[in-house]
């Protein structure tokens, strides 16, 4: 009798506890499903490079508007952090805090190479995928197995231009680049492909990276009488003052063509340079005027989101494609965020991007782009980079 | 703190000894810094950077606050120290303590070499020359790609664990303690200097540069000494940033660094030793909090903070605090 009572009581207890345990497990499971996916987005939101953050943040926003802000039932939360510009110590600290304090699932963004390099070792230690949406120096992807780059590299962009120029009647070219890492890269890789195809570099000059005065350099180029000048300058205000110098010295009038990386006629800035840019030939992986349904949809969405804002340029596309890779990687795991599986997916990522076909090279985790040769033309009162030739599947020659 | 209640002190030596007495609030401050370890474990990375920037500000305070030598190019020594520490570590000697000492000594040597120029200049000319020096170093580092990595920054800096046991962890505990201990030791050095006859002569130089030589102060020598010490201290701060981030970028030599450290010092209060530390804490915490909530517009908040401090708290945060204490005392006195 007593025994049965005891067993009854026991039964009741186990029932009660069991129910509670099940209920608890249930809510825990639910909480798991609803826990947001956290993405740390590191961009220069303030300071002289804030324009680039507007573009890239815009790319992220547009992607999330088009494809929703949930993946596999989990909400996507973007944690924005301001790197303030080229500031690797700040960038590294922010990344560290995002990992330790905010417990992000992955890191993304980053405009500048030094910032990316400072963050790279953390991603190895913490096992966090790190999606590079710009930072275009070759070495970046070699610094951590968790880095995947969806943007481009400068050698990748300028090498096809060198080959193209030599094959299209340019014999003598003068090179003018900005005196810092990316400038050196473009000088070297343009020269390499140009001379390999039979061209000759008749002069080289590196201009100071900050506030250069272009007129004397342009005069010197004019005196050397080359067929064309090859230019790399960082996208932004400098391109405008370069064209001012070109106008002043009548470089174009003398029949000297301008060849450049896409930065010189970058879509966000090109209207500010004016008609003098007409006829400039550039190479790049994205043009605002690229003709494809993907780009039309992208441009439409971007302009709807920023009716007064800038035209989307390659920075915006980099961020947009970065989000595409991230969404794909998490969707492939049904909302799970296992870091190694994410990287595994992104390594083999292929997509029809607004820029054209984009794929990631599984060996280097670097973007493989179609590089277009474009010419600045005026259509409907707008200065546009019109693509007229292309080289498919260009890998980064810098590695 | 209650010195005014005591009978007038007889000799300068007595006054110096009285001023050098360890105060309760100093003990409280340093104990407080240890508390950070437990109270804000998620913020240790920021805390270690505050300690480093605080040390940098302290080095400028010796120069600007005590000796009256304005410098708009102090990042030259900070950056030099950072590169020296980084380069040593890159080429195979990653031991942090000796690396830091070597970096500090090198920066001090650079300061010693430059100091004869500094002794000849005042005012705006001094601003221009110090700034120019910093720009020169920046360009040199930009050009010497083979050594510094140029624009890409110095990679491959590997720092060994401190004493072979304390690795630099992801949470930043080692980094914080390391930076904090170095800061504390440097603070002791600065404190000793300030409360010495030498320190007093610096202040005489600052307050009345014509009278000081008249009473027999060799200004040139004193400028050279304090400039060298300050440069070495800035170099140590630079070494700390290089070692804790294990990376050196050109930005350590930028004009912005020089300007920002001046702002931090003025914000905290010059000529007070604690000014730089408080300034660094206020500035960097405000920046961190504002930048997290409003990544695009946080500069607005920082600007407002600076304007408010300059307008309502002359002498920086510490100056404002001082006046608050004085006002409180006066009120208490009147009420009695």
């Amino acid at each position: 009798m007593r025994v049965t009572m005891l067993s009854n009581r026991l039964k009741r207890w186990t029932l009660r506890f069991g129910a509670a345990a099940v209920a608890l497990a249930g809510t825990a499971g639910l909480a798991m499903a609803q826990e947001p996916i956290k993405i740390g987005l590191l961009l220069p939101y303030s300071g002289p490079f804030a324009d680039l953050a507007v573009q890239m943040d815009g790319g992220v926003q547009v992607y999330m508007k088009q494809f929703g802000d949930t993946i596999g039932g989990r909400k996507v939360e973007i944690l924005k952090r301001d790197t303030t510009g080229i500031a690797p110590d700040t960038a590294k600290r922010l990344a560290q805090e995002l990992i330790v304090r905010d417990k992000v699932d992955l890191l993304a963004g980053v405009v500048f190479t030094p910032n990316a390099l400072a963050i790279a070792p953390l991603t190895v230690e913490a096992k966090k995928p790190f999606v590079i949406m710009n930072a275009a120096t070759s070495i970046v992807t070699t610094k951590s197995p968790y880095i995947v780059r969806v943007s481009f590299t400068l050698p990748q962009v300028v090498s096809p231009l060198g080959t193209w120029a030599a094959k299209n009647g340019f014999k003598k070219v003068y090179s003018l680049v900005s005196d810092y890492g990316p400038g050196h890269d473009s000088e070297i890789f343009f020269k390499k492909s140009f001379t390999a195809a039979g061209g000759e570099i008749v002069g080289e000059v590196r201009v100071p990276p900050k506030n250069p005065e272009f007129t004397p350099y342009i005069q010197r180029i004019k005196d050397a009488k080359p067929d064309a000048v090859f230019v790399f300058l960082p996208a932004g205000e400098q391109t405008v003052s370069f064209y001012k110098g070109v106008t002043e010295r009548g470089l174009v009038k003398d029949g000297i063509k301008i060849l450049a990386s896409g930065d010189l006629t970058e879509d966000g800035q090109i209207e500010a340079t004016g008609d003098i840019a007409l006829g400039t030939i550039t190479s790049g992986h994205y043009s605002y005027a690229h003709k494809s349904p993907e780009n039309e949809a992208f441009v439409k969405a971007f302009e709807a989101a920023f009716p007064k804002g800038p035209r989307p340029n390659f920075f915006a596309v980099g961020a947009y494609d970065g989000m595409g890779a991230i969404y794909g990687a998490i969707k492939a795991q049904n909302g799970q965020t296992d870091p190694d599986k994410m990287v595994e997916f992104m390594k083999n990522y292929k997509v029809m991007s607004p820029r054209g076909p984009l794929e990631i090279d599984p060996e280097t985790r670097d973007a493989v782009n179609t590089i277009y040769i474009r010419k600045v033309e005026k259509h409907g009162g707008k200065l546009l980079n019109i693509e007229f030739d292309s080289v498919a599947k260009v890998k980064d020659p810098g590695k | 703190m209650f010195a005014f209640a005591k009978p007038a002190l007889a000799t300068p030596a007595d006054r110096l000894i009285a001023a050098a007495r360890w105060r309760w609030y100093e003990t409280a401050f340093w104990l407080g810094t240890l508390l950070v370890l437990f109270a804000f474990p998620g913020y240790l990375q920021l805390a270690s950077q505050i300690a480093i920037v605080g040390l940098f500000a302290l080095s400028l305070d010796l120069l600007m606050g005590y000796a009256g030598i304005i410098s708009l190019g102090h990042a030259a020594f900070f950056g030099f120290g950072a590169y020296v520490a980084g380069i040593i570590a890159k080429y195979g000697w990653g031991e942090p303590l000796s690396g830091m000492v070597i970096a500090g000594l090198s920066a001090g040597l650079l300061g010693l070499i430059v100091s004869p120029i500094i002794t000849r200049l005042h005012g705006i000319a001094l601003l221009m020359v110090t700034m120019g020096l910093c720009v020169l170093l920046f360009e040199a580092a930009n050009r010497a790609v083979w050594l510094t990595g140029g624009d890409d920054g110095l990679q491959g800096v590997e720092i060994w664990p401190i004493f072979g046991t304390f690795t630099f962890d992801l949470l930043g505990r080692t980094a914080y303690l390391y930076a904090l201990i170095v800061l504390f030791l440097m603070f002791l050095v600065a404190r000793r200097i300030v409360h010495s006859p030498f320190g007093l002569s610096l202040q005489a130089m600052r307050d009345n540069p014509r009278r000081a030589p008249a009473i027999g102060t060799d200004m040139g020598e004193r400028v050279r000494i304090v400039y060298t010490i300050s440069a070495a201290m800035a170099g140590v701060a630079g070494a700390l940033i290089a070692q804790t981030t294990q990376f050196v970028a050109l930005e350590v030599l930028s004009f912005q660094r020089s300007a920002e450290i001046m702002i931090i010092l003025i914000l905290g209060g010059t000529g007070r030793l604690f000014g730089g530390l408080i300034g660094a804490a206020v500035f960097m915490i405000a920046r961190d909090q504002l930048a997290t909530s409003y990544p695009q517009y946080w500069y607005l908040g920082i600007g407002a903070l600076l304007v408010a401090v300059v307008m309502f708290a002359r002498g920086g945060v510490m100056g404002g605090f001082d006046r608050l204490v004085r006002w409180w005392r006066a009120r208490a006195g009147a009420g009695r």
Side-chain angles (χ1 to χ4, degrees):
Chain A
M1 194 57 193
R2 284 185 80 137
V3 175
T4 46
M5 253 176 76
L6 195 71
S7 78
N8 267 343
R9 201 180 278 172
L10 254 173
K11 236 181 232 165
R12 240 182 291 146
W13 272 102
T14 42
L15 262 175
R16 236 182 250 165
F17 269 120
V22 167
L24 211 70
T27 49
L30 213 65
M32 272 300 282
Q34 281 171 345
E35 198 164 281
I37 297 161
K38 290 182 178 173
I39 303 173
L41 187 63
L42 296 143
L43 294 174
Y45 282 102
S46 70
F49 304 103
D51 284 0
L52 309 183
V54 169
Q55 287 276 355
M56 292 177 71
D57 195 74
V60 170
Q61 282 179 38
V62 165
Y63 190 89
M64 291 177 71
K65 222 170 249 173
Q66 270 182 317
F67 296 91
D69 59 355
T70 52
I71 316 174
R74 289 174 73 185
K75 202 156 172 58
V76 178
E77 195 181 312
I78 305 283
L79 294 114
K80 301 175 184 182
R81 294 292 182 271
D82 179 15
T83 58
T84 71
I86 304 172
D89 53 338
T90 308
K92 184 171 184 181
R93 173 171 62 79
L94 293 173
Q96 217 150 355
E97 288 173 357
L98 282 168
I99 293 168
V100 177
R101 210 195 298 160
D102 300 309
K103 311 222 166 11
V104 293
D105 295 296
L106 40 76
L107 296 168
V110 185
V111 173
F112 302 104
T113 299
N115 295 359
L117 295 176
I119 295 170
L122 293 179
T123 63
V124 185
E125 201 180 336
K127 295 201 164 121
K128 298 288 174 193
F130 182 21
V131 180
I132 305 266
M133 294 171 165
N134 187 53
T137 313
S138 287
I139 45 165
V140 171
T141 51
T142 63
K143 296 298 171 183
S144 157
Y146 287 94
I147 288 181
V148 176
R149 175 159 51 196
V150 295
S151 52
F152 68 105
T153 73
L154 267 166
Q156 183 183 49
V157 167
V158 299
S159 291
L161 182 64
T163 316
W164 180 89
K167 282 185 183 157
N168 286 273
F170 293 93
K171 296 273 175 289
K172 292 175 181 173
V173 169
Y174 202 107
S175 136
L176 178 146
V177 300
S178 193
D179 194 1
Y180 74 122
H184 304 165
D185 267 10
S186 358
E187 183 188 273
I188 294 163
F189 283 93
F190 179 84
K191 186 179 183 176
K192 206 170 164 187
S193 66
F194 183 60
T195 50
E200 186 196 346
I201 298 284
V202 293
E204 287 173 329
V205 62
R206 292 177 175 184
V207 301
K210 275 178 196 160
N211 313 318
E213 168 56 47
F214 287 106
T215 338
Y217 298 115
I218 290 170
Q219 183 62 46
R220 218 189 293 169
I221 293 166
K222 201 177 152 180
D223 295 343
K225 295 196 172 58
D227 300 325
V229 53
F230 167 72
V231 183
F232 168 80
L233 293 172
E237 288 153 18
Q238 285 195 18
T239 59
V240 180
S241 56
F242 172 77
Y243 274 113
K244 229 180 233 166
V246 168
T247 318
E248 259 171 46
R249 295 286 147 192
L251 196 71
V252 178
K253 259 187 255 155
D254 279 17
I256 298 170
K257 283 266 184 194
I258 299 170
L259 308 173
S261 76
D263 301 80
L264 191 71
T265 58
E266 173 263 305
D267 294 296
Q269 189 79 30
I270 190 166
E271 291 296 341
T273 59
D275 286 355
I276 184 74
L278 287 172
T280 296
I281 291 167
T282 60
S283 59
H285 63 292
Y286 174 71
S287 165
Y288 168 76
H290 180 70
K291 281 207 168 52
S292 73
E294 289 83 9
N295 190 41
E296 262 166 47
F298 168 70
V299 168
K300 207 172 153 193
F302 196 95
E303 287 179 343
F306 301 94
K308 287 182 205 158
R311 283 182 203 168
N313 62 11
F314 63 83
F315 289 99
V317 170
Y320 183 87
D321 288 334
M323 288 308 285
I326 293 170
Y327 268 53
I330 301 174
K331 237 177 236 162
Q333 310 180 46
N334 296 318
Q336 293 302 303
T337 49
D338 179 80
D340 293 297
K341 282 184 191 156
M342 275 198 274
V343 172
E344 200 49 45
F345 176 90
M346 288 193 271
K347 261 183 184 174
N348 300 296
Y349 186 62
K350 267 185 199 167
V351 71
M352 200 43 149
S353 146
R355 70 178 90 172
L358 162 72
E359 57 184 272
I360 307 297
D361 179 352
E363 301 210 337
T364 57
R365 287 164 280 102
D366 214 337
V368 180
N369 282 306
T370 297
I371 301 300
Y372 301 89
I373 310 292
R374 310 96 52 95
K375 190 178 200 170
V376 179
E377 290 173 16
K378 201 165 201 172
H379 292 279
K382 280 180 173 175
L383 289 171
L384 298 170
N385 288 301
I386 302 296
E387 296 161 348
F388 64 88
D389 203 348
S390 68
V391 185
K393 291 199 178 182
V394 180
K395 285 189 182 184
D396 172 34
K399 283 203 190 72
Chain B
M1 259 215 147
F2 300 96
F4 67 93
K6 288 180 184 165
L9 294 157
T11 65
D14 288 341
R15 279 186 53 192
L16 274 177
I17 291 165
R21 220 159 13 94
W22 196 264
R23 314 292 164 113
W24 63 267
Y25 58 83
E26 291 180 277
T27 317
F29 177 86
W30 290 106
L31 285 179
T33 56
L34 280 180
L35 221 61
V36 174
L37 269 181
F38 311 103
F40 304 104
Y43 289 83
L44 291 179
Q45 230 18 268
L46 178 67
S48 66
Q49 286 193 357
I50 291 175
I52 294 167
V53 171
L55 175 58
F56 185 25
L58 181 66
S59 78
L60 186 64
D61 197 20
L62 273 185
L63 208 60
M64 218 167 88
Y66 285 94
I69 304 165
I70 318 166
S71 170
L72 200 47
H74 217 47
F77 305 108
F78 181 81
F80 192 72
Y83 270 113
V84 170
I87 289 166
I88 294 174
K90 183 179 174 177
Y91 291 104
W93 184 250
E95 205 287 306
L97 299 180
S98 54
M100 177 188 70
V101 171
I102 295 169
L105 290 178
S106 322
L109 187 67
L110 182 70
L112 183 68
I113 294 167
V114 179
S115 62
I117 308 172
I118 303 299
T119 59
R120 284 154 216 265
L121 299 167
H122 303 280
I124 292 179
L126 193 58
L127 279 184
M128 301 295 291
V129 167
T130 49
M131 198 176 113
L133 175 75
C134 192
V135 172
L136 279 177
L137 270 183
F138 181 92
E139 267 316 310
N142 185 21
R143 291 286 165 142
V145 178
W146 58 275
L147 184 66
T148 62
D151 186 70
D152 285 345
L154 186 72
Q155 297 142 38
V157 176
E158 261 178 55
I159 304 294
W160 303 340
I162 298 174
F163 301 130
T165 39
F166 302 102
T167 41
F168 287 93
D169 53 329
L170 203 60
L171 267 172
R173 213 174 291 145
T174 310
Y176 178 61
L177 273 176
Y178 177 44
L180 187 66
I181 290 169
V182 174
L183 171 67
F184 180 63
L185 294 177
M186 288 290 156
F187 180 83
L188 291 183
V189 172
R191 203 174 177 281
R192 185 73 201 89
I193 291 172
V194 165
H195 296 314
S196 70
F198 172 75
L200 211 56
S201 70
L202 289 181
Q203 293 168 50
M205 232 165 62
R206 172 195 68 193
D207 294 339
N208 198 338
R210 296 207 178 158
R211 178 111 195 272
I215 57 172
T217 311
D218 180 350
M219 297 226 323
E221 187 198 79
R222 286 188 170 55
V223 169
R224 282 196 293 276
I225 294 173
V226 74
Y227 199 75
T228 306
I229 294 171
S230 169
M233 222 176 244
V236 169
L240 288 179
I241 206 107
Q243 292 176 341
T244 53
T245 52
Q246 315 216 349
F247 191 83
V248 187
L250 267 185
E251 175 273 339
V252 290
L253 285 165
S254 67
F255 171 71
Q256 204 182 343
R257 272 251 179 225
S258 301
E260 200 174 86
I261 201 66
M262 208 172 190
I263 290 172
I264 284 172
L265 182 58
I266 292 169
L267 180 72
T270 56
R272 295 163 179 278
L273 292 183
F274 275 104
L277 312 190
I278 301 286
V282 170
F283 185 84
M284 292 180 73
I285 291 171
R287 184 166 75 176
D288 183 59
Q289 290 302 312
L290 287 169
T292 309
S293 336
Y294 314 99
Q296 280 103 334
Y297 308 110
W298 62 271
Y299 257 111
L300 193 71
I302 285 282
L305 176 73
L306 288 178
V307 172
V309 166
V310 173
M311 280 185 65
F312 301 114
R314 220 155 8 104
V317 175
M318 293 289 287
F321 184 69
D322 253 14
R323 262 185 298 155
L324 207 68
V325 169
R326 235 177 291 142
W327 173 79
W328 177 254
R329 285 239 185 88
R331 229 182 67 139
R336 230 185 281 150

